[in-house]
């Protein structure tokens, strides 16, 4: 299994509070991705990173920001959480843009 | 943007029966991935298909890519309870970078 961990695994928070999710990899892969998974929508890309301090927006980036100060860590921040951001968040990694993506175990976030 | 439609959306089969899941793309397929997700867990990579007509097998699971039809099929032979879960297909976007589009998934239940 690819060495990908996500923390926290579960979080309940209130509307308007900031939330940061962490993805940590031990594979030294260059590319890292954040997705959200919702019923009826499948997986949708939020942001991705192609190197330290190099990030780009995905399909549903509004309300989210990311940072990558080290190869192994990719942080997803919800500056002011809203109920529409209640979802399961997955991190994924790949070495090259055309390589298979490997996924972390997910973080279940509930915004009340 | 590329869309992937999976059929059926859900499937209940008796243990030992064969089954097929389809994934149809709205655009040309450059690479097609199959993942399996168990409830509350992350995605497990099964197979990747890149060329038209390509067929790959892993244990009792076989995937094929029909480039002309812009479709892939996943076939499970002699299903077992361990095959239960959600099967997702994902497709590479064009343009030299990997922004994978995912289908909504097919939920499979195997009744002992």
């Amino acid at each position: 299994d690819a060495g990908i961990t996500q923390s926290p695994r579960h979080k309940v928070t209130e509307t308007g509070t900031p939330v940061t999710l962490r993805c940590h990899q031990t594979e030294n892969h260059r590319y890292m991705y954040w997705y959200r998974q919702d019923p009826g929508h499948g997986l949708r890309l939020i942001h991705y990173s192609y190197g330290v301090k190099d990030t780009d927006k995905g399909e549903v980036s509004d309300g989210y920001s990311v940072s990558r100060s080290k190869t192994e860590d990719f942080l997803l921040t919800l500056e002011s959480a809203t109920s529409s951001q209640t979802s399961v968040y997955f991190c994924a990694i790949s070495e090259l843009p055309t390589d298979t993506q490997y996924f972390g175990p997910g973080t279940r976030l509930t915004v009340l | 943007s590329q869309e992937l439609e999976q059929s059926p959306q859900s499937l209940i089969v008796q243990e030992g029966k064969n089954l097929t899941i389809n994934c149809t793309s709205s655009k040309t397929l450059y690479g097609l991935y199959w993942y399996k997700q168990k409830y509350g867990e992350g995605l497990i990579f099964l197979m990747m298909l890149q060329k038209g007509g390509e067929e790959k097998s892993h244990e009792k699971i076989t995937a094929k890519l029909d480039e002309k039809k812009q479709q892939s099929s996943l076939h499970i032979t002699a299903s077992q309870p361990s095959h239960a879960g959600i099967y997702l297909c994902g497709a590479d976007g064009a343009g030299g970078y990997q922004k994978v589009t995912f289908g909504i998934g097919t939920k499979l239940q195997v009744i002992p």
Side-chain angles (χ1 to χ4, degrees), chain A residues 9 21 43 53 60 72 95:
Chain A
R9 292 293 314 278
L21 307 182
L43 280 163
K53 298 185 179 179
V60 290
E72 58 266 34
E95 175 55 22

Side-chain angles (χ1 to χ4, degrees), chain B residues 8-67:
Chain B
Q9 291 188 9
S10 65
L11 194 55
I12 302 173
V13 300
Q14 200 79 34
E15 182 177 0
K17 297 293 186 183
N18 303 333
L19 63 106
T20 298
I21 299 169
N22 291 308
C23 175
T24 303
S25 174
S26 61
K27 294 189 176 184
T28 301
L29 286 168
Y30 292 92
L32 193 288
Y33 305 85
W34 282 102
Y35 291 86
K36 178 186 174 186
Q37 183 179 25
K38 291 205 167 185
Y39 303 113
E41 298 180 16
L43 281 70
I44 299 168
F45 170 70
L46 295 176
M47 279 170 274
M48 178 190 180
L49 306 167
Q50 286 185 295
K51 301 175 185 176
E54 187 173 14
E55 179 176 321
K56 287 188 178 178
S57 293
H58 174 67
E59 297 179 343
K60 294 186 178 180
I61 301 175
T62 300
K64 300 179 185 179
L65 181 63
D66 187 330
E67 212 168 49

Side-chain angles (χ1 to χ4, degrees), chain A residues 66-79:
Chain A
V66 290
S67 65
R68 191 169 178 199
S69 58
K70 297 184 289 184
T71 299
E72 58 266 34
D73 289 325
F74 193 31
L75 304 180
L76 176 71
T77 297
L78 291 65
E79 299 292 344

Side-chain angles (χ1 to χ4, degrees), chain B residues 70-87:
Chain B
Q70 297 178 174
Q71 183 179 74
S72 177
S73 60
L74 185 83
H75 184 78
I76 298 177
T77 303
S79 59
Q80 301 170 354
S82 61
H83 288 128
I86 300 171
Y87 289 83

Side-chain angles (χ1 to χ4, degrees), chain A residues 9 33 35 37 40 43 48 57 90 94 97-105, chain B residues 33 35 37 40-43 45 48 88 92 96-100 102-104:
Chain A
R9 292 293 314 278
Y33 312 81
Y35 292 89
Q37 186 178 37
L43 280 163
Y48 69 100
K57 295 179 180 180
F90 287 101
S94 69
T98 52
D99 282 351
T100 298
Q101 292 183 19
Y102 294 94
F103 285 78
Chain B
Y33 305 85
Y35 291 86
Q37 183 179 25
E41 298 180 16
L43 281 70
F45 170 70
M48 178 190 180
L88 294 98
D92 271 341
Y97 54 85
Q98 191 189 34
K99 285 189 178 181
V100 178
F102 288 89
I104 291 175

